[in-house]
Amino acid sequence: MVGEAVRGRFPVLASKVYVNSCSQGALSDTVRAAYEESLEGWDANGAEWGFWVERSEAARTAFAGLLSARPDDVAIQTSVSAAVSAFVSALRFDGERNRIVITDFEFPAIGQIAHAQELRGAEVVQVEATPEAVAAVVDERTALVCATFVSYRTGAVHEVEAIYAIAREHGALMLVDGYQGIGALPLDVARAGDVVVGGTVKYLLASAGLAFMALRPGLVEELVPTQTGWFADEDIFEMQIERYRPHRSARRFDAGTPPVPNIYAGVAGVGLILEAGVPEIQRHVAGLVERLLAGLEELGASVAAPPRGPLVCVRSTDAPALVAALAAEDVVASERDSNLRVSLHLYNTEGDIDAVLAALARRPELLA
Ligand SMILES: Cc1ncc(COP(=O)(O)O)c(C=O)c1O
């Protein structure tokens, strides 16, 4: 179910035009109830850490279902930053293969973590987010290629599968940041990269403090992270302090006490997405984007990149002022890089698009 049929589950939509899922998905009754359930469990059970393990497994199973991955190949973390830091801690950059290739549209988390590896011998090369530009710099010296699925700055959907083919050809690993697309656009994880990361704040409709990392089957055995925690041990319940004994599965990339309340919310959010179905959400959102683009053209507005996903970035003469002008009309949007970001999801409707367009039409001087 998408559009009008699900709007009732998102109370904020009664008073706002919410086109800000690229920042944070709207709060649903289901996710609110999940948080309440976590608090009730706290009262009822106290700190039952065996139960935290169970919750962590529930999150792993939910993400695995969403990504068509095996739970054993999915790690649970509290942010993409933490997941990627754990991942790169398992790589070595002190030999011939020390290059990390990043694209111009990485989120700061990825770019900054890549540069942090310079302290461990890595050389970071930044290129345009196209297969051609990546092909020009990837060779036997490349350890890792990082690419982002959907740009948080332009809304462009990048050709991650083609970039992955280039990385593979040269024996490099590939990391895909799927945060800005997963939940609204299908991503074939197996074809996208060796490692795919994302989190629950945006199109997965939950809160901060929960992220996942899906690894290609078989990869985990090759990687031993040095950034670790006790939930990454082969047997957490043994509580041993004699040795480092990473779990045989992707759990070796987990960390410490899992973010239990966020897991309740995350599992509920992913549940809403699976209930609606990602292909159905994609179809619904594509229709809305088409309507938005037609209206923008009539207004003489331009977009930063041809949108093939849920995020449309509208060029503005003063993006913060435009966001404020829209907020004054109860339209919730955001901005980056002189662009207004309008992002659409399962709960948006043609009415939302028309409201955004009407608000923009009242501020032509803020459109570039
Ligand atoms: C593409 C992308 N990656 C990563 C993040 C967030 O990373 P973290 O979970 O480390 O805060 C965001 C959030 O805005 C994002 O848009």
Side-chain angles (χ1 to χ4, degrees):
M1 282 197 309
V2 293
E4 290 296 349
V6 295
R7 284 175 75 81
R9 298 175 78 168
F10 298 85
V12 67
L13 304 181
S15 55
K16 305 268 185 206
V17 173
Y18 195 90
V19 288
N20 201 26
S21 306
C22 61
S23 295
Q24 177 155 34
L27 175 61
S28 61
D29 54 5
T30 322
V31 168
R32 184 182 286 275
Y35 263 114
E36 277 156 14
E37 198 190 328
S38 90
L39 296 175
E40 279 155 23
W42 187 355
D43 264 345
N45 308 319
E48 272 195 319
W49 76 271
F51 175 67
W52 300 344
V53 177
E54 186 276 320
R55 282 288 85 198
S56 173
E57 291 311 308
R60 203 180 316 280
T61 304
F63 292 132
L66 178 74
L67 302 168
S68 302
R70 296 180 319 155
D72 273 357
D73 292 321
V74 177
I76 300 301
Q77 274 284 1
T78 51
S79 66
V80 159
S81 301
V84 173
S85 285
F87 169 63
V88 296
S89 83
L91 306 183
R92 301 200 55 165
F93 302 106
D94 54 358
E96 295 277 285
R97 239 184 223 283
N98 72 335
R99 196 175 262 190
I100 304 177
V101 174
I102 63 172
T103 75
D104 291 341
F105 291 107
E106 298 317 312
F107 195 75
I110 308 296
Q112 292 168 16
I113 290 168
H115 283 291
Q117 306 318 305
E118 289 166 347
L119 301 175
R120 300 175 56 217
E123 178 205 1
V124 179
V125 179
Q126 183 177 331
V127 294
E128 266 179 50
T130 62
E132 297 73 29
V134 171
V137 295
V138 172
D139 59 22
E140 297 59 49
R141 286 168 297 170
T142 310
L144 178 65
V145 177
C146 303
T148 192
F149 179 31
V150 179
S151 167
Y152 76 101
R153 284 163 53 192
T154 66
V157 179
H158 297 121
E159 294 176 65
V160 287
E161 291 187 12
I163 296 174
Y164 185 30
I166 296 160
R168 263 199 322 253
E169 198 184 312
H170 294 280
L173 291 173
M174 164 119 167
L175 169 87
V176 177
D177 179 355
Y179 215 144
Q180 283 293 338
I182 291 173
L185 264 190
L187 178 68
D188 184 341
V189 167
R191 293 165 66 103
D194 296 288
V195 180
V196 174
V197 289
T200 52
V201 178
K202 303 166 195 300
Y203 298 94
L204 296 182
L205 304 174
S207 70
L210 185 61
F212 56 84
M213 175 163 71
L215 292 105
R216 159 170 61 77
L219 179 60
V220 75
E221 288 116 60
E222 296 169 28
L223 302 174
V224 180
T226 55
Q227 180 184 307
T228 187
W230 65 295
F231 270 68
D233 189 68
E234 183 60 48
D235 182 0
I236 321 177
F237 295 100
E238 206 182 300
M239 305 199 78
Q240 56 88 18
I241 56 169
E242 280 71 43
R243 57 202 176 277
Y244 174 40
R245 192 181 52 179
H247 199 278
R248 79 186 86 86
S249 76
R251 290 169 186 81
R252 68 177 54 180
F253 287 101
D254 288 6
T257 305
V260 176
N262 310 331
I263 288 177
Y264 272 90
V267 170
V270 170
L272 284 171
I273 294 301
L274 291 176
E275 204 179 306
V278 175
E280 178 63 10
I281 296 172
Q282 179 188 28
R283 191 198 54 74
H284 175 70
V285 164
L288 298 177
V289 167
E290 204 179 304
R291 188 179 183 93
L292 178 61
L293 290 178
L296 289 173
E297 201 178 325
E298 270 176 35
L299 292 177
S302 58
V303 292
R308 290 191 292 119
L311 175 59
V312 180
C313 292
V314 184
R315 291 211 174 90
S316 174
T317 53
D318 184 344
L322 187 50
V323 169
L326 293 179
E329 299 200 31
D330 286 328
V331 176
V332 184
S334 56
E335 49 88 15
R336 285 274 189 271
D337 284 358
S338 317
N339 298 318
L340 170 75
R341 300 196 303 172
V342 178
S343 67
L344 303 164
H345 206 355
L346 76 166
Y347 39 65
N348 292 115
T349 58
E350 292 188 349
D352 289 341
I353 302 297
D354 296 346
V356 170
L357 289 168
L360 293 179
R362 284 188 278 277
R363 304 305 300 265
E365 76 286 3
L366 294 176
L367 297 173

